[in-house]
Amino acid sequence: MEPASRARGDDSQWNGVEDTIEDPEEVRVIFCALDSFSQYAKTAHLNCTHLRRQAFYALPQAHWQLLAQPPFSYLDMLNRIDDAIESNAELARIIVKFGLRSFGVVDATSNEEVTMPVEWSGIAKYNDLDKARSTIRQFYRDWSAEGAVERDASYGPIYSVLDAEKARRNDGQQMKVLVPGAGLGRLVFDLCRLGYASEGNEISYHQLLASSYILNSSETAGQHTIFPWIHSFSNHQSREKQFKSYKIPDVHPQATLAATQGIGSMQMCAADFLCLYGDESHKDSYDAVAAVFFLDTAPNLIRYLEVIRSCLKPGGLLINVGPLLWHWENHVPGHHGYDGDGDYDENNSLGIADPGSFELTDDEVVALVERMGFIVEKRETGLRAPYVQDAESMLQMVYKASHWVARKPEIGSEVRPRV
């Protein structure tokens, strides 16, 4: 993907996913993502209301007639769910519209309803459909005013460490910050707004297509209304809480940057983190790596740390905030014919698909970071970090995140990695 800076006011695009279109497998993955957004409404109506109506009318007649009346008004409630789904679907459809425009498939200025090309229609699998739904919900976290509580918890420690490092250096040089697993791009955007040269990396095309739309093509703040809690019917204190809606984006990205003095730059790369940033062209390139809810996505954390160590400048910082929900714990990657004998061939890396995986505790992660040659300068545990959490739900799931800062030794330092 070709990096692009929106902060410098050029005409390039944040996403650039169209640059991968020559790879047939990448094309399939991209159109699976687009098709899953296209199918959001149909899937949500089926799972949230259609099946419930069937189950409702399967009740004894006296029972469903009771529930159809106030104060329950169950059927009216399902109609409201359908309306809320359509509000979410407006956002999903416009992501499809501007995604297809990136590939020249449709004219985004057209007012006609956008449909997927016939050859790509209906190809999305269950996992794709689930990602589309979760991406729409994630707009609450990254791009609503109410989501600031979650952003402050997860991104706030990053800003504090970077501000302190900028003051310590006091050299007037713009710090270059890499954000792997950038998601919907809010951290990258805010770092740019605060004057850093920020670069996001993301492997999920659901996230890339959605962030591209909100950053490049949204027209005003509060343009869309989302209902993130309607997909689940459990643990709501009242129906009104289930139907709580949020305006997104809370700020218009382009207008905000245009009105802000001293902004930095931002760019985005769509690629496997290990494959892209482990090469020589990225060696000693970044002043900091901001890893937010990222390190536990690694099947092999050592590979992540090797790449981060390589791409950081001497004296650069690895700033971590997040839990340890190891993404591969119950989905052990295949071994691709590798039996564990012989040396690892870094020239033929499959990136995150490389064979093998393991899980560590938080204490063990910090010990590994030190074994890899980093100097751990700060460590906090138990940071309250909700993630797309309905604050009024009867069920509260909040991470007690780990926050630590590790520095790559300066040239000439006696600290040496043992891995």
Side-chain angles (χ1 to χ4, degrees):
M1 170 178 172
E2 185 69 22
S5 169
R6 296 297 299 172
R8 289 192 288 266
D10 58 27
D11 294 327
S12 55
Q13 292 289 302
W14 160 266
N15 59 356
V17 294
E18 65 273 14
D19 295 333
T20 63
I21 200 165
E22 293 182 359
D23 183 339
E25 177 58 22
E26 288 293 304
V27 172
R28 187 194 66 80
V29 172
I30 291 167
F31 278 95
C32 276
L34 286 167
D35 185 54
S36 67
F37 283 115
S38 180
Q39 291 194 56
Y40 164 78
K42 180 181 72 173
T43 304
H45 285 306
L46 171 65
N47 294 328
C48 294
T49 60
H50 177 70
L51 296 179
R52 278 185 172 81
R53 287 188 179 96
Q54 288 184 328
F56 182 77
Y57 283 118
L59 293 168
Q61 185 178 43
H63 294 184
W64 70 252
Q65 286 180 340
L66 170 64
L67 293 173
Q69 300 171 11
F72 315 106
S73 302
Y74 199 84
L75 293 173
D76 291 339
M77 178 273 295
L78 293 180
N79 291 337
R80 289 183 64 191
I81 292 286
D82 281 327
D83 291 340
I85 287 171
E86 283 304 309
S87 185
N88 288 348
E90 288 181 13
L91 175 60
R93 292 182 185 114
I94 203 166
I95 290 171
V96 174
K97 180 178 182 177
F98 282 89
L100 292 174
R101 186 191 69 167
S102 297
F103 304 102
V105 177
V106 299
D107 177 5
T109 63
S110 171
N111 292 323
E112 295 181 6
E113 183 177 350
V114 174
T115 58
M116 288 290 296
V118 174
E119 64 271 28
W120 298 111
S121 181
I123 66 169
K125 306 302 182 186
Y126 173 81
N127 191 45
D128 298 304
L129 298 169
D130 188 59
K131 287 179 180 178
R133 178 187 57 80
S134 65
T135 299
I136 291 171
R137 294 179 70 247
Q138 194 172 332
F139 274 104
Y140 161 78
R141 172 181 173 85
D142 266 6
W143 290 103
S144 76
E146 294 82 355
V149 173
E150 295 195 7
R151 296 195 296 274
D152 289 346
S154 296
Y155 304 159
I158 302 294
Y159 305 142
S160 297
V161 171
L162 290 174
D163 286 348
E165 180 68 5
K166 185 193 296 184
R168 185 190 73 84
R169 295 186 179 196
N170 194 30
D171 57 7
Q173 297 295 312
Q174 188 178 69
M175 292 178 61
K176 190 173 182 181
V177 183
L178 174 63
V179 182
L184 293 182
R186 184 57 182 257
L187 178 56
V188 178
F189 167 78
D190 281 340
L191 287 172
C192 169
R193 182 176 55 83
L194 293 170
Y196 297 96
S198 59
E199 180 176 332
N201 166 248
E202 180 57 58
I203 196 172
S204 166
Y205 281 109
H206 289 81
Q207 303 279 307
L208 287 160
L209 291 162
S211 64
S212 171
Y213 165 68
I214 210 72
L215 287 161
N216 288 324
S217 303
S218 59
E219 297 177 354
T220 62
Q223 180 179 350
H224 301 282
T225 300
I226 61 169
F227 294 79
W229 320 129
I230 60 168
H231 305 97
S232 171
F233 288 71
S234 298
N235 291 307
H236 296 295
Q237 291 181 341
S238 70
R239 286 298 174 200
E240 294 312 309
K241 294 185 187 302
Q242 181 181 13
F243 283 102
K244 185 71 178 294
S245 64
Y246 306 88
K247 296 288 187 180
I248 62 106
D250 58 315
V251 297
H252 184 246
Q254 296 185 39
T256 299
L257 292 182
T260 304
Q261 297 294 319
I263 63 172
S265 62
M266 66 179 184
Q267 55 186 13
M268 191 73 163
C269 294
D272 184 304
F273 171 73
L274 296 178
C275 294
L276 180 60
Y277 292 96
D279 63 14
E280 281 298 313
S281 68
H282 289 89
K283 186 175 177 61
D284 299 339
S285 296
Y286 302 94
D287 297 290
V289 172
V292 179
F293 281 66
F294 174 70
L295 294 184
D296 58 359
T297 67
N300 181 353
L301 183 59
I302 295 174
R303 288 280 289 122
Y304 269 31
L305 294 174
E306 286 175 336
V307 170
I308 291 171
R309 183 179 63 193
S310 173
C311 71
L312 275 175
K313 296 177 182 177
L317 296 178
L318 167 56
I319 312 167
N320 176 70
V321 177
L324 290 177
L325 181 63
W326 295 107
H327 286 37
W328 294 94
E329 180 175 359
N330 298 313
H331 305 278
V332 178
H335 292 275
H336 308 292
Y338 178 70
D339 60 7
D341 295 329
D343 295 329
Y344 166 73
D345 182 2
E346 63 180 12
N347 295 319
N348 292 305
S349 172
L350 295 169
I352 198 171
D354 280 334
S357 66
F358 61 90
E359 300 83 31
L360 298 179
T361 67
D362 191 46
D363 287 343
E364 291 169 337
V365 168
V366 173
L368 179 60
V369 169
E370 293 178 324
R371 289 287 185 97
M372 299 292 291
F374 290 91
I375 302 167
V376 177
E377 297 185 344
K378 174 183 179 180
R379 185 184 180 191
E380 297 178 44
T381 58
L383 272 68
R384 188 179 186 279
Y387 196 95
V388 195
Q389 174 66 51
D390 178 3
E392 297 185 289
S393 171
M394 297 169 67
L395 174 64
Q396 294 295 311
M397 298 182 63
V398 180
Y399 291 107
K400 298 176 69 175
S402 177
H403 170 45
W404 45 261
V405 181
R407 190 180 298 275
K408 178 178 175 178
E410 298 279 1
I411 295 176
S413 169
E414 294 183 359
V415 177
R416 294 287 184 272
R418 284 182 273 177
V419 177

